[in-house]
Amino acid sequence: MAIILSGRDLSDKMKQDYKKEIEQIKQKHNIVPGLAVILIGDNPASLSYVKLKEKACTEVGIVSHDLRFNADYKEEELLKLIQDLNSNNNIHGILVQLPLPEHIGEEKILCAIDPEKDVDGFHPVNVGKMMIGAPSFLPATPSGIQQLLLRNNIGIEGKHVVIIGRSNIVGKPLAMILIQKKPDANATVTLCHTRTKNIAEIARTADILVAAVGRPHTVTKDMVKQGAVVIDVGVNRIEDKTRKRGYRLIGDVDFEEVSEKASAITPVPGGVGPMTITMLLHNTIQSAKKHAGIE
Ligand code: GUN
């Protein structure tokens, strides 16, 4: 049976460290890290992520500025809001929850955020820095996956990492992070997507297999090499009338059967999700320190 890689436990530990660090920053430098979290519309999954982010901020002592707007909020209004936040000295991080409603241009919005406050690491300047291995804000989900592996003593160097899914938020940046010429990376990465032929065959060659597709049952037992490490990024709501809220969450991986074959696996929920939030806290603290000239 596979070891369960609990992002929840690791995240709880990391948050304790962050809480102490923030207390020190407050005492020594009189700075309180501030994060603006913008949500447009009422996508239930987005609302739930945003609430979790805000709760985690409060836990560690980051001031979360919750900015919520109806789905008809205009692009110009959002651009103006971002400009105001860019020049607000109490705000060290700006996060615009994706996806945005169709009438708002995602690229335009992401480009409007000051790269120095772009704690999501989605601004092209930060994407470029990430690609060349320069210091930058790393996107939270891929860097959370990297930390989850390393802090569980799962080496990445020299491993064949197969990623299924080429999103700008997970698949592409994860590939970029793990191919860097650095001891905490140095992986050989194969990035699979909807037009890849023989995904199952490629997946079976993975030492570390990452599923980031957003579709249940994408990774089945036959796609996993004996002893592989399996990272499940999917968060899918499926109807479950036995639950009070009427649904439960499952990943992209058939957890029951794959955990018999893998050496380590992330659960859903409680795997990658909490790590994403923790890395967002990390980026916000780093940003606050940089703005205050600390380190
Ligand atoms: N939507 C899904 N994941 C993310 C994320 O990491 N950041 C933002 N801003 N939106 C998301």
Side-chain angles (χ1 to χ4, degrees):
M1 270 303 278
I3 292 167
I4 306 298
L5 300 172
S6 171
R8 191 171 286 145
D9 290 351
L10 177 56
S11 163
D12 285 345
K13 252 197 270 170
M14 291 171 76
K15 280 191 285 191
Q16 283 172 20
D17 293 342
Y18 294 157
K19 195 172 172 184
K20 284 185 205 143
E21 192 179 358
I22 290 170
E23 273 165 17
Q24 281 177 359
I25 299 172
K26 269 186 210 168
Q27 279 176 7
K28 271 200 198 162
H29 304 277
N30 201 25
I31 295 281
V32 181
L35 174 68
V37 179
I38 303 171
L39 174 65
I40 318 279
D42 53 6
N43 178 321
S46 291
L47 185 61
S48 150
Y49 294 143
V50 160
K51 281 185 184 163
L52 289 170
K53 288 171 187 176
E54 291 162 353
K55 181 169 167 274
C57 281
T58 309
E59 270 173 53
V60 299
I62 293 173
V63 176
S64 167
H65 301 259
D66 314 338
L67 303 162
R68 304 209 182 138
F69 303 96
N70 293 332
D72 60 1
Y73 194 61
K74 293 197 176 63
E75 188 181 82
E76 307 91 84
E77 292 176 291
L78 181 53
L79 287 168
K80 170 78 177 68
L81 173 66
I82 290 171
Q83 272 168 21
D84 291 346
L85 295 168
N86 282 343
S87 52
N88 181 335
N89 290 332
N90 295 320
I91 301 289
H92 306 100
I94 302 169
L95 180 149
V96 179
Q97 186 65 29
L98 303 178
L100 286 165
E102 271 185 14
H103 67 277
I104 301 180
E106 181 178 300
E107 212 179 306
K108 198 167 178 184
I109 295 303
L110 296 179
C111 286
I113 297 171
D114 178 350
E116 298 284 330
K117 294 191 178 186
D118 169 38
V119 287
D120 257 328
F122 292 164
H123 189 289
V125 164
N126 287 320
V127 176
K129 285 184 178 176
M130 173 180 65
M131 198 194 89
I132 62 170
S136 66
F137 292 118
L138 295 178
T141 302
S143 65
I145 292 170
Q146 185 185 32
Q147 290 304 316
L148 190 58
L149 290 167
L150 295 173
R151 289 171 191 247
N152 279 284
N153 297 314
I154 297 170
I156 298 168
E157 191 163 46
K159 300 279 173 69
H160 183 207
V161 179
V162 175
I163 303 166
I164 309 178
R166 58 175 156 185
S167 69
N168 288 340
I169 294 179
V170 186
K172 281 192 238 173
L174 181 61
M176 280 304 136
I177 291 169
L178 298 185
I179 57 164
Q180 294 301 319
K181 195 171 186 174
K182 296 179 181 175
D184 59 3
N186 275 330
T188 303
V189 176
T190 304
L191 188 52
C192 299
H193 49 77
T194 39
R195 294 290 179 268
T196 302
K197 289 176 183 154
N198 308 325
I199 289 193
E201 208 174 287
I202 297 167
R204 278 193 292 274
T205 67
D207 302 311
I208 299 172
L209 179 61
V210 182
V213 178
R215 195 186 61 226
H217 313 295
T218 299
V219 172
T220 46
K221 194 176 175 177
D222 59 301
M223 296 168 71
V224 178
K225 180 170 77 178
Q226 187 72 42
V229 173
V230 178
I231 304 293
D232 192 350
V233 188
V235 182
N236 306 293
R237 288 182 179 208
I238 60 159
E239 195 183 292
D240 185 345
K241 293 204 169 108
T242 69
R243 303 284 173 106
K244 223 176 167 180
R245 55 188 181 181
Y247 69 89
R248 68 191 159 92
L249 299 178
I250 63 165
D252 292 348
V253 175
D254 270 351
F255 183 87
E256 294 298 325
E257 58 171 55
V258 171
S259 58
E260 288 169 15
K261 216 169 169 189
S263 61
I265 187 166
T266 59
V268 176
V272 173
M275 291 307 294
T276 297
I277 292 172
T278 303
M279 298 320 291
L280 171 69
L281 304 177
H282 168 84
N283 286 350
T284 306
I285 298 167
Q286 293 312 309
S287 179
K289 282 163 66 175
K290 196 163 176 220
H291 280 86
I294 304 169
E295 282 181 343

